[in-house]
Amino acid sequence: DRLLRITRRRGGRVSHKLRIGYVVPQFPGQTHIFFWREVRALEAMGHQVHLLSTRMPPSGLIAHDWSDDAIARTTYLGDRRPLPALRALGSLLPQGLPLWVAREGAGFGRDVVLTLAAAQALTDHAAKHRLDHVHVHSCGRAALIAALARRLGGPRYS
């Protein structure tokens, strides 16, 4: 794991403090207490955690006493803005995006179109805040956002 390779442990403590992007879809939702606790534990270890999410959850799923704090700290990537999407598209086309879509199919192509602006937003946020790593709690579109962001020059992800 990249996080373990770039840190050294001394007496159970991480000697290098990281700037971590922490992506959770529709954060903070009703089942997200684990993520909040993990973020708090990382911060207690001295790491700087940037909360990122695909979009706000529906209001009925915002159920915790810490939700307002989490919302205030979270950068939401999911706005479908055309200019960042076009910027990402311009960078990904020469890297082989049409071949990826042809190989993976129309569903993948749709997902790429839906996530281009978010991938560019993640790339920009990571550069601005000099993130060392992005950790994604999803194997769906949130992971695709991180993968595309990596291709756009963003940080490694897990």
Side-chain angles (χ1 to χ4, degrees):
D1 179 65
R2 171 120 167 97
L3 286 175
L4 294 177
R5 284 196 316 266
I6 63 176
T7 61
R8 292 184 314 226
R9 296 198 175 266
R10 290 188 187 145
R13 296 253 182 220
V14 175
S15 63
H16 177 71
K17 305 307 179 197
L18 299 173
R19 292 176 301 270
I20 303 167
Y22 194 94
V23 182
V24 180
Q26 294 189 22
F27 185 75
Q30 98 186 62
T31 62
H32 291 168
I33 186 67
F34 166 78
F35 304 128
W36 185 247
R37 288 178 180 157
E38 187 171 57
V39 166
R40 301 294 300 252
L42 288 166
E43 290 173 336
M45 294 169 60
H47 300 294
Q48 187 181 102
V49 179
H50 292 253
L51 288 168
L52 303 146
S53 185
T54 53
R55 60 184 175 180
M56 284 278 288
S59 60
L61 296 182
I62 301 172
H64 300 285
D65 59 354
W66 49 266
S67 293
D68 289 339
D69 291 337
I71 290 167
R73 290 187 50 189
T74 302
T75 298
Y76 293 95
L77 305 169
D79 294 336
R80 293 194 180 105
R81 297 167 302 158
L83 291 179
L86 288 172
R87 198 167 125 219
L89 184 62
S91 294
L92 293 171
L93 284 173
Q95 293 185 49
L97 180 61
L99 295 174
W100 308 338
V101 172
R103 183 179 62 232
E104 299 299 327
F108 176 74
R110 183 191 70 243
D111 288 344
V112 168
V113 169
L114 292 173
T115 58
L116 281 172
Q120 188 63 59
L122 176 56
T123 303
D124 294 344
H125 183 91
K128 179 179 177 181
H129 298 283
R130 299 176 50 223
L131 299 184
D132 299 303
H133 187 81
V134 172
H135 186 63
V136 183
H137 282 280
S138 168
C139 60
R141 286 190 185 142
L144 180 59
I145 290 166
L148 293 174
R150 177 69 178 148
R151 292 293 235 163
L152 293 168
R156 293 178 187 256
Y157 66 96
S158 58

